[in-house]
Amino acid sequence: KCVIIFLYFDIEVIFMTYSEGLKILRKKMLVTQTELAEILSVSFASVNRWENSEHEPTMKVKRKLQPLFEKYNIVVEGK
């Protein structure tokens, strides 16, 4: 006996900037800028600057962020 199950997921993908992505990530993780900074081993000021579009994370930090973005279905431009 063979059972075939098809699953259909209606997932909306929205491409966003790192600034937008980080804000959404923090909300989904229920953490503050300070707490996210600790998770990423960076300063609060860095996270604040990224969220305010003053700077972008370094490649090292982007590599740390990637699994978190994937876990929470966040797609950012220019990965």
Side-chain angles (χ1 to χ4, degrees):
K1 184 174 180 181
C2 180
V3 177
I4 300 174
I5 300 173
F6 291 97
L7 298 175
Y8 175 76
F9 296 98
D10 187 16
I11 299 173
E12 183 177 342
V13 177
I14 300 171
F15 292 91
M16 60 191 75
T17 64
Y18 270 96
S19 173
E20 296 164 331
L22 285 164
K23 289 175 189 174
I24 291 170
L25 177 65
R26 278 197 317 103
K27 286 181 183 177
K28 288 186 175 190
M29 291 179 68
L30 303 173
V31 297
T32 64
Q33 287 183 340
T34 301
E35 292 167 330
L36 182 60
E38 290 174 8
I39 292 167
L40 298 173
S41 301
V42 298
S43 68
F44 159 82
S46 292
V47 173
N48 186 271
R49 288 181 190 124
W50 301 334
E51 286 193 9
N52 289 310
S53 299
E54 294 173 22
H55 295 282
E56 252 194 33
T58 63
M59 285 306 296
K60 182 178 178 180
V61 174
K62 287 179 180 180
R63 285 191 291 272
K64 288 182 181 180
L65 285 168
Q66 190 55 39
L68 295 172
F69 284 148
E70 288 175 7
K71 180 178 179 179
Y72 292 97
N73 297 318
I74 299 169
V75 181
V76 294
E77 296 174 0
K79 289 185 204 175

